[in-house]
Amino acid sequence: MLKVFNTLTRRLEDFKPLEPPLVRMYVCGPTVYDHSHIGHARTWVAFDIIKKYLRLKGYNVIHVQNITDIDDKIINRARELGVSWKEVADTYTNEYFELMKKLKVFPTVHPRVTDHIDDIIEFVQDLVDKGYAYVTQSGVYFDVDKYPYYGQLSGIKDKKMWSQEEFVKDKKNPYDFALWKCAKPGEPWWDSPWCKGRPGWHIECSTMSSKYLGKQFDVHGGARDLIFPHHENEIAQSEARFGVRPWVKYWLHSGYLTVKGEKMSKSLGNIVPLKDVLKSFEPEVVRYWLSSAHYRTELDFSWERLEEAKRSLTRMRMTVDELRKIVKKESPKGKLDEWEIKAIYEVSKIRNEFYDAMDNDFNTPEAWAAVREALRLGNKAIEEGSWEVSLAVLEFVNEADKVFEVFEERVHEGVEPFIDLLVEVRSKLREMKQWELADYIRSKLDELGVKLLDKGKETEWRFA
Ligand SMILES: Nc1ncnc2c1ncn2[C@@H]1O[C@H](COP(=O)(O)OP(=O)(O)OP(=O)(O)O)[C@@H](O)[C@H]1O
Ligand SMILES: [Zn+2]
């Protein structure tokens, strides 16, 4: 049984979605005013892995991840750069899409705030009509005192600790928050029943999640920086409007990606842009490194750690490639040795360990330990030339890789016979002592990512 740690109850709980096998999941996406950084990627990959594991368990997951494309930060950035807010938002939205594709993170819907202004206005109007919100000169505010359960998610019960947003004279209480902000001169605006203005941040997520996932849904995610006030406010607005409780069944929060122990954050100026990381490392290395820590722990960034992850993944990939080659090119024996029988049973035990780990609040480091254990058996299978054990290991690794997505086959269909041919020509050249030409073929193949391994007169090759 899958168990997840729910921030709302502060407990590990059995995962029972509202309408199985459907799982409706919302994850807070980026505010597009700057480059996405590797800290963002940590959260997005964490929830992508959660989604893919749920799918592996037979759930149908609808995954919504928003794009905040209008916000004070975007407006300020546009001013600094002397361009329009739309240009800033479009530039970083496009970059975000490209990077998400590389990292193989594909939400079902990527709603943008500016495409949902009417829905937001309807939401706010409903809160005003129901008496949960009030209209002032500067905008519309949520009346926190009207909602009795405020503080439930963060556990912050002391009202003095609730103060948020800048102090605006016409707010009833310092802890009320803006649902709609009237535009100051020069700021972008949309028409509304109250003033020309724009939505507050929190209302967007309540509006877009309910639009695509309904009035109640299963999973809401983001990193833990969002617990207060963002997610606390989302709950207050949504429960006030829809009269449901709990609005979201499971609140999952990822830990920070840190730099020397501090959260990686644009405001602290310690960000490493994701595009730079992906220039030096393949997306698979990044996915592997991010998933090597549990999603709720902190993970400290360093280039050396990525290098280590690359080395470790390269070794694993070499084993996986070799297993694929054996299964494809060789044939079943029809009879198993003692160790092969044991190994095949061992793989089935390891497979259980993988599922137990993932069922325990998506414990990816333990799940990786299971994969590594299986690959150790894989190496023995390669050494012994066992087709059957190679198959058993490979089938398990392929299954686990539905979640991790790092072992995709990189072989282009039809290329192998041509490499075989070049290797054969090189062998003939060596026989004829044409070393220079033989070395030329080796170095050219190397550049193309094909490694040759001379074993006496025989030459083996593999993709690097
Ligand atoms: N250092 C980090 N580690 C893990 N997740 C993060 C980190 N920084 C942001 N996130 C998560 O990434 C998603 C997008 O965040 P958002 O664009 O709001 O970032 P931000 O708060 O503007 O960034 P910053 O903190 O760098 O200013 C959110 O779910 C957020 O919780
Ligand atoms: Zn949000």
Side-chain angles (χ1 to χ4, degrees):
M1 178 76 178
L2 171 61
K3 289 186 188 301
V4 299
F5 186 86
N6 189 353
T7 310
L8 189 60
T9 57
R10 294 159 191 79
R11 278 194 291 115
L12 208 55
E13 286 180 24
D14 288 347
F15 185 71
K16 292 186 184 149
L18 297 163
E19 290 169 60
L22 181 64
V23 173
R24 288 168 291 185
M25 173 168 109
Y26 185 88
V27 179
C28 288
T31 304
V32 281
Y33 70 104
D34 205 340
H35 298 295
S36 295
H37 57 71
I38 178 84
H40 298 140
R42 197 222 173 158
T43 291
W44 297 322
V45 169
F47 284 95
D48 180 64
I49 282 179
I50 287 174
K51 169 173 79 178
K52 285 172 179 157
Y53 183 63
L54 290 171
R55 288 197 175 143
L56 186 62
K57 296 272 286 181
Y59 292 109
N60 303 316
V61 186
I62 299 180
H63 169 196
V64 180
Q65 191 159 300
N66 68 295
I67 293 173
T68 300
D69 63 347
I70 184 68
D71 182 84
D72 292 354
K73 290 175 185 171
I74 299 174
I75 297 170
N76 292 340
R77 186 69 202 254
R79 273 203 198 113
E80 276 163 35
L81 297 175
V83 298
S84 73
W85 65 271
K86 183 109 184 62
E87 211 174 319
V88 171
D90 285 348
T91 305
Y92 294 115
T93 302
N94 291 338
E95 185 199 87
Y96 161 77
F97 282 147
E98 254 176 56
L99 296 168
M100 286 302 99
K101 267 193 214 163
K102 285 193 180 149
L103 284 177
K104 309 177 198 183
V105 178
F106 296 104
T108 322
V109 199
H110 250 143
R112 293 178 210 224
V113 174
T114 56
D115 289 331
H116 295 80
I117 301 287
D118 289 347
D119 300 306
I120 292 171
I121 290 174
E122 206 183 303
F123 202 122
V124 176
Q125 184 63 58
D126 207 9
L127 287 177
V128 173
D129 294 344
K130 290 186 159 111
Y132 285 102
Y134 54 91
V135 182
T136 73
Q137 289 281 309
S138 64
V140 183
Y141 295 90
F142 189 84
D143 195 343
V144 173
D145 276 346
K146 293 272 166 63
Y147 173 74
Y149 307 107
Y150 200 77
Q152 61 194 318
L153 183 72
S154 57
I156 306 174
K157 297 288 179 203
D158 181 357
K159 285 187 173 189
K160 284 200 261 352
M161 308 289 286
W162 289 348
S163 298
Q164 54 184 299
E165 300 185 349
E166 60 189 295
F167 180 73
V168 184
K169 273 205 300 292
D170 48 7
K171 267 202 322 193
K172 278 197 208 166
N173 286 302
Y175 43 77
D176 291 347
F177 55 90
L179 300 169
W180 187 264
K181 298 177 175 184
C182 298
K184 299 192 188 90
E187 287 182 349
W189 53 265
W190 286 262
D191 256 330
S192 83
W194 318 289
C195 60
K196 292 181 184 345
R198 65 180 183 281
W201 174 31
H202 318 292
I203 195 70
E204 305 161 0
C205 287
S206 288
T207 305
M208 294 190 287
S209 57
S210 55
K211 172 153 181 143
Y212 296 103
L213 301 174
K215 290 178 185 171
Q216 244 176 335
F217 58 94
D218 304 291
V219 178
H220 195 311
R224 67 169 52 115
D225 55 333
L226 301 185
I227 297 174
F228 188 88
H230 185 53
H231 290 162
E232 197 76 71
N233 294 351
E234 277 190 50
I235 295 177
Q237 297 160 157
S238 308
E239 293 191 353
R241 181 178 186 200
F242 300 125
V244 290
R245 204 156 177 268
W247 168 53
V248 169
K249 206 165 171 198
Y250 304 102
W251 284 87
L252 308 189
H253 289 100
S254 48
Y256 294 143
L257 188 117
T258 54
V259 184
K260 298 195 178 90
E262 261 189 322
K263 182 195 172 211
M264 182 178 286
S265 150
K266 284 169 267 195
S267 36
L268 292 173
N270 61 357
I271 72 159
V272 179
L274 185 52
K275 69 177 172 54
D276 292 354
V277 175
L278 288 172
K279 249 183 235 154
S280 309
F281 292 94
E282 285 177 280
E284 286 81 5
V285 173
V286 177
R287 282 185 73 94
Y288 170 58
W289 178 63
L290 292 173
S291 60
S292 63
H294 188 277
Y295 79 96
R296 281 195 290 116
T297 59
E298 290 193 353
L299 177 63
D300 207 45
F301 177 84
S302 82
W303 293 103
E304 293 78 49
R305 281 181 195 181
L306 272 165
E307 278 297 342
E308 266 166 40
K310 180 180 167 182
R311 277 196 295 275
S312 155
L313 183 64
T314 305
R315 274 197 303 275
M316 290 194 284
R317 273 170 154 181
M318 271 157 62
T319 305
V320 174
D321 285 348
E322 209 55 39
L323 294 170
R324 285 186 176 133
K325 225 151 106 186
I326 291 176
V327 170
K328 222 184 257 175
K329 292 196 170 161
E330 291 168 23
S331 311
K333 269 199 317 254
K335 178 175 179 295
L336 300 183
D337 293 344
E338 204 52 43
W339 84 266
E340 289 177 299
I341 300 171
K342 256 172 94 182
I344 284 169
Y345 279 89
E346 190 60 29
V347 174
S348 77
K349 226 178 85 199
I350 292 171
R351 181 173 177 270
N352 285 341
E353 284 164 14
F354 167 83
Y355 278 97
D356 287 347
M358 290 301 284
D359 276 351
N360 182 17
D361 195 28
F362 313 101
N363 192 330
T364 50
E366 276 182 18
W368 269 116
V371 172
R372 277 192 293 270
E373 188 67 30
L375 289 176
R376 268 193 286 277
L377 286 172
N379 282 327
K380 180 149 166 68
I382 294 164
E383 244 174 72
E384 305 281 338
S386 168
W387 189 90
E388 283 80 358
V389 177
S390 298
L391 178 74
V393 172
L394 190 59
E395 282 185 337
F396 162 62
V397 171
N398 283 339
E399 196 172 331
D401 202 46
K402 291 209 162 72
V403 177
F404 294 129
E405 294 201 332
V406 299
F407 292 124
E408 203 170 289
E409 238 177 317
R410 287 157 302 155
V411 181
H412 300 294
E413 229 16 79
V415 160
E416 287 173 331
F418 295 96
I419 298 175
D420 285 340
L421 180 65
L422 277 169
V423 171
E424 201 185 314
V425 171
R426 176 174 169 273
S427 296
K428 289 198 186 307
L429 288 169
R430 275 159 50 106
E431 273 167 32
M432 292 153 66
K433 303 203 183 331
Q434 302 252 16
W435 308 115
E436 218 171 290
L437 262 181
D439 283 349
Y440 179 75
I441 292 180
R442 169 198 277 280
S443 72
K444 282 292 170 189
L445 282 174
D446 194 80
E447 277 172 29
L448 295 169
V450 178
K451 298 270 176 237
L452 303 192
L453 215 84
D454 292 323
K455 291 190 173 167
K457 286 202 166 144
E458 299 292 307
T459 302
E460 288 178 5
W461 65 265
R462 65 162 154 253
F463 289 105

